[in-house]
Amino acid sequence: MRSPLKLLFIVALLWGGFNLFWQNGAIALWDQDEAAYAGFAHNILSTGNWVTPDFLWSDPHRKPPLHFWAIALSFQVFGEQEFALRFPSALAVLLTGCTIYAMGRSAFGEKTARLATIIVFSSLFLPNFGKVSLTDALLVLWQTIALLALCNTLVRPRGLWTVLLWGAVSLGVLTKGPPILILVLGSLVTLALFSPQRRHLIALHPWLGLPLSLIPLFLWGRMAWVADGGEYIQWMIDWYILKRASGGITFGQWGPPGYFLVVFCLGFLPWVIFFPAALGDLGRNLWRKREQPFYSGITAWLLWGWLAYEFIPSKLPSYALGAYGAIALLIAHTIIHPPRPSFPWGVRLFLLLSFLVTVGLGGAGFWLLGIRGGVLSLLVGVFWLGWAIATVHQLQRGNLENAITLTTCNGLILTFLIWGFIMPLVNLNHSATQRVAQQIAQTTSPETLVIFADYFDLPSLPFYVAQQQREFIGLENNPLPQLQAYYEGEQDTVLVFAQTQALQQFLDQLETDNQPTPKTVQIQGWFSQMGTLETYTLVYGR
């Protein structure tokens, strides 16, 4: 890796940064998490309550508040819209890549850190977390800072690493609670037991740093406890700690051991071509007990950022994102020290997954988007597969630098094409809740009350209605007496129905009471499930 790596680094930084922010304001909210977070931030600004998050149909998505605070501040700068909602996550992923370079140089070397940054920006998994407003992107930033500070301490202890580590822990627990503690404390204990550089860890002063890092969390927790008598804090302890510690499964998401290995093989496309060799190198060096800070630090990082989550039953792809930086550095280190003439297992895996991506893009495109979208998706997939074959060809000819360039461009171009051309087609049906709110805004006065007839469990719907300056009320199980009372009341109302049967019962009741047939408007799209067309009906009050 000579000077072309520097140019490739600049290209990945600029193009990857562009991909992170491009089209973020053009795609409607994703239910349920992202839309719930938007609702929390909306309520923060509308009520002034920065302590306890609250929004209709969003209780299961409550977490510590840092991510919601960041969204609320972004709303204040950019306005309440999709770009502002996703800005903190996109910025967090951008800073994560920059952090790997800035802090990775002193621990792992200039070339390894630079290539690892390229890998982060041109892989598929983490950059896409910058396109959706989830807590995970912000958490990964704090986890990456903390573990790079820890790895740097193994090489050369400094006060700066101590401040960065415990500062990142403090922000991490305010973002999502225990995950950063599992990663940092687990890594600290592992390195204290097995690393030849264990004496360097004393400079981190964990007996002082850990309690200090938890002070902001306890201060916020105290305010939240006072605000609602402890209901919110007790719920979080039960939902996020006790349930998972007892082996409970949340939202029906589970998987066997090896789940996250599959996630990373897909998520690190197109760099997966080097992934088997990287894992093999790590295993061989651990077996030979090479006393290098690189291997001990990366091993601890992978152990508690990835492997620990393989053995809990509840699984989501984001759970092991804390290991993303470690895998990027491991792949980069394998390529740089020393370059290999070929990567046979990685080539086979890469070609297989590239073929599956091509088939998957084409199949999903025809299924979800029709002929036009299917043809476009298939063309993108064929382009990806052709580029993958060209990469393998260069690698087998021994042109490692050319293969690295093609791999980088392949990942950057695929992300660009998906969000620039395929996702806008997805949004035509995905934006159904947004179109419901727009229809209400176009046909009613600001004083109109919007009544949701049932528990729709789609936080994007009340968020978009709130954007249109309309008050709303959420009911459950389509209660006919309440619906009729709102319909016949003095205030202008719009009733929103999802079930055809409930709607028909309401209209039959109006007919029985000799009421005139109300005005209705139907909105069709993907509401509760992608790919399944549903019809929501607006019924306008008298």
Side-chain angles (χ1 to χ4, degrees):
M1 298 291 101
R2 297 187 295 274
S3 58
L5 191 61
K6 295 182 179 180
L7 177 60
L8 202 60
F9 172 78
I10 296 172
V11 170
L13 183 61
L14 295 179
W15 195 346
F18 174 79
N19 281 346
L20 285 171
F21 294 95
W22 188 48
Q23 293 284 61
N24 280 5
I27 308 299
L29 301 185
W30 299 95
D31 282 299
Q32 300 161 335
D33 296 53
E34 181 183 56
Y37 302 159
F40 294 150
H42 166 80
N43 265 10
I44 285 174
L45 298 181
S46 61
T47 67
N49 179 7
W50 291 73
V51 177
T52 53
D54 180 61
F55 197 66
L56 183 64
W57 306 327
S58 301
D59 282 0
H61 307 290
R62 293 177 295 177
K63 292 177 176 68
L66 186 59
H67 184 59
F68 315 143
W69 293 348
I71 296 171
L73 293 174
S74 184
F75 279 174
Q76 288 183 317
V77 174
F78 300 107
E80 289 193 21
Q81 37 95 353
E82 291 86 352
F83 178 86
L85 171 65
R86 293 158 183 155
F87 182 82
S89 292
L91 182 62
V93 173
L94 179 63
L95 292 177
T96 298
C98 294
T99 296
I100 288 175
Y101 176 68
M103 296 180 65
R105 291 180 299 171
S106 51
F108 307 117
E110 177 82 19
K111 291 182 179 180
T112 297
R114 183 180 288 130
L115 183 55
T117 302
I118 293 171
I119 292 170
V120 165
F121 286 130
S122 57
S123 58
L124 298 187
F125 197 29
L126 186 58
N128 281 284
F129 272 82
K131 310 292 291 180
V132 182
S133 184
L134 301 175
T135 55
D136 304 286
L138 196 59
L139 177 63
V140 169
L141 173 61
W142 310 134
Q143 290 174 317
T144 302
I145 291 173
L147 266 294
L148 284 172
L150 182 56
C151 290
N152 271 286
T153 300
L154 293 176
V155 177
R156 183 185 177 189
R158 291 175 57 191
L160 174 62
W161 309 136
T162 303
V163 172
L164 287 174
L165 187 147
W166 297 117
V169 169
S170 184
L171 294 170
V173 292
L174 268 177
T175 301
K176 207 172 180 178
I180 195 168
L181 293 176
I182 295 172
L183 176 61
V184 171
L185 297 182
S187 298
L188 270 173
V189 171
T190 300
L191 292 170
L193 291 175
F194 300 107
S195 174
Q197 294 81 25
R198 64 175 66 89
R199 66 185 185 281
H200 291 176
L201 301 177
I202 297 175
L204 293 173
H205 307 294
W207 50 87
L208 179 62
L210 179 61
L212 289 177
S213 70
L214 296 178
I215 288 176
L217 179 70
F218 285 125
L219 291 176
W220 163 75
R222 173 60 180 168
M223 289 187 289
W225 190 283
V226 171
D228 63 5
E231 182 275 330
Y232 175 39
I233 299 300
Q234 290 176 336
W235 174 86
M236 281 210 308
I237 292 173
D238 178 67
W239 181 255
Y240 287 109
I241 299 177
L242 299 181
K243 186 172 184 178
R244 287 164 173 78
S246 63
I249 296 173
T250 57
F251 298 118
Q253 300 287 343
W254 67 277
Y259 174 95
F260 292 110
L261 176 62
V262 175
V263 168
F264 284 133
C265 284
L266 292 169
F268 272 94
L269 281 168
W271 296 94
V272 71
I273 195 170
F274 307 106
F275 192 28
L279 293 177
D281 283 351
L282 177 64
R284 282 189 294 272
N285 281 283
L286 290 176
W287 180 258
R288 296 167 185 169
K289 298 181 180 180
R290 291 190 177 179
E291 298 182 359
Q292 295 184 24
F294 175 86
Y295 293 111
S296 57
I298 290 294
T299 300
W301 193 343
L302 292 174
L303 178 62
W304 294 101
W306 168 11
L307 295 181
Y309 293 96
E310 293 282 15
F311 299 99
I312 62 173
S314 182
K315 287 183 173 68
L316 283 172
S318 60
Y319 284 5
L321 266 178
Y324 210 86
I327 295 174
L329 286 161
L330 182 62
I331 291 174
H333 187 270
T334 297
I335 296 171
I336 297 292
H337 299 94
R340 293 165 172 264
S342 64
F343 298 82
W345 288 104
V347 165
R348 297 185 183 98
L349 179 61
F350 178 50
L351 290 176
L352 172 62
L353 293 179
S354 295
F355 174 76
L356 293 177
V357 166
T358 301
V359 173
L361 278 173
F366 282 107
W367 173 49
L368 296 173
L369 306 176
I371 295 177
R372 177 190 170 195
V375 170
L376 177 61
S377 300
L378 184 59
L379 289 175
V380 171
V382 170
F383 166 83
W384 164 273
L385 183 59
W387 205 290
I389 293 172
T391 301
V392 170
H393 177 67
Q394 290 296 319
L395 198 59
Q396 291 180 334
R397 292 184 61 186
N399 296 328
L400 183 58
E401 288 187 3
N402 290 345
I404 295 297
T405 301
L406 289 173
T407 303
T408 302
C409 294
N410 198 6
L412 293 170
I413 292 173
L414 182 64
T415 300
F416 175 83
L417 292 176
I418 288 176
W419 287 96
F421 300 96
I422 296 178
M423 294 309 298
L425 296 178
V426 171
N427 195 58
L428 295 176
N429 280 314
H430 165 67
S431 61
T433 57
Q434 186 180 38
R435 287 185 281 117
V436 168
Q438 290 170 344
Q439 177 66 31
I440 292 172
Q442 292 167 6
T443 54
T444 65
S445 65
E447 294 76 24
T448 300
L449 179 64
V450 179
I451 308 297
F452 303 121
D454 199 359
Y455 188 95
F456 297 143
D457 203 18
L458 298 171
S460 65
L461 186 54
F463 176 79
Y464 281 128
V465 169
Q467 272 194 313
Q468 303 296 342
Q469 307 299 316
R470 302 298 191 274
E471 293 185 18
F472 57 82
I473 294 176
L475 304 179
E476 294 188 22
N477 300 320
N478 305 283
L480 280 178
Q482 284 183 270
L483 291 170
Q484 191 168 4
Y486 281 119
Y487 175 80
E488 297 175 353
E490 295 184 0
Q491 186 176 7
D492 291 339
T493 56
V494 175
L495 279 60
V496 183
F497 288 87
Q499 296 181 17
T500 303
Q501 182 179 0
L503 171 63
Q504 190 58 52
Q505 290 175 350
F506 177 76
L507 295 177
D508 290 344
Q509 184 64 48
L510 293 183
E511 184 177 358
T512 301
D513 295 342
N514 296 318
Q515 298 276 7
T517 302
K519 173 187 174 182
T520 62
V521 174
Q522 293 186 330
I523 307 293
Q524 192 175 60
W526 302 335
F527 285 93
S528 59
Q529 185 174 348
M530 180 175 287
T532 301
L533 285 175
E534 299 176 73
T535 300
Y536 274 40
T537 303
L538 309 182
V539 178
Y540 292 82
R542 294 187 304 175

